[in-house]
Amino acid sequence: MSIVRIAVRVVSGALAGSVLMSLTPASAADPQSVGVFKDWTVMVQETGNDRICFAVTEAKDKAPKSVNHGEIFFMVATWRSGVAANQPSFRAGYNLKESPAPTIRIGAQKWDMYVSENESFIEDAASEQSLVAAMRSGADMRISATSGRGTATNYIFSLSGLSAALERAKEACK
């Protein structure tokens, strides 16, 4: 059910370079950065009749250290058309195993995700909004996932700057 595919280059620990997204086989303009808020970057993607605005960040810590994780990102996307608002997703640099399901933890709270190749999502809109609310008030977010090869992986994402980034993304998609 993945409708967004991201590839982000990271330079000097800050998100920069190119972000490539495809929503349909039709071509769309490359996303443009509209702001950086501490550890989060806000991007805008024009896609024909719609606009997608999203906040994205890279994992600050990856475990185990002995494996090649590729690029690891977390994104919260909003569509101008209303298709989705504050839709969180996790993107790994490898295909994910469906079971056990990837999990997100913020403090004592936990959310299970479902897998679509190298991405994972929250099942329903109410849980998505619960997660985003917890992200706004948390300091960091931890994700545990299993690679298609069976390697257990763990990631830590900073939530510093997320609230401002989400406000900027919302404004950009008005």
Side-chain angles (χ1 to χ4, degrees):
M1 185 144 132
S2 170
I3 58 175
V4 178
R5 190 180 77 224
I6 301 176
V8 179
R9 285 196 181 178
V10 179
V11 178
S12 302
L15 294 176
S18 65
V19 176
L20 304 174
M21 297 178 65
S22 62
L23 297 169
T24 64
S27 65
D30 286 342
Q32 302 298 312
S33 174
V34 295
V36 176
F37 302 87
K38 297 184 181 178
D39 294 324
W40 290 77
T41 298
V42 177
M43 306 291 287
V44 173
Q45 168 84 38
E46 299 294 338
T47 61
N49 295 333
D50 208 353
R51 172 184 278 185
I52 304 168
C53 306
F54 57 96
V56 63
T57 191
E58 183 183 21
K60 293 292 184 185
D61 189 42
K62 304 172 186 176
K65 302 282 188 207
S66 61
V67 301
N68 179 5
H69 296 268
E71 296 174 324
I72 306 296
F73 302 99
F74 199 86
M75 177 173 99
V76 180
T78 295
W79 281 252
R80 177 184 275 169
S81 66
V83 168
N86 286 335
Q87 180 187 49
S89 63
F90 166 68
R91 182 184 182 277
Y94 52 86
N95 282 340
L96 297 162
K97 204 170 198 180
E98 291 182 27
S99 182
T103 59
I104 298 174
R105 292 184 192 277
I106 300 174
Q109 295 179 290
K110 177 185 167 195
W111 295 263
D112 290 327
M113 304 182 86
Y114 70 89
V115 170
S116 177
E117 297 178 7
N118 68 330
E119 294 179 281
S120 59
F121 301 89
I122 300 297
E123 189 69 38
D124 62 84
S127 295
E128 287 178 343
Q129 298 318 305
S130 168
L131 170 59
V132 171
M135 290 171 68
R136 284 179 177 267
S137 63
D140 64 34
M141 174 174 63
R142 298 168 186 272
I143 297 181
S144 299
T146 303
S147 75
R149 294 180 177 179
T151 304
T153 58
N154 294 287
Y155 304 102
I156 299 174
F157 294 87
S158 168
L159 298 174
S160 180
L162 173 70
S163 291
L166 291 178
E167 290 306 313
R168 179 65 181 105
K170 179 180 175 181
E171 176 184 308
C173 265
K174 284 186 179 177

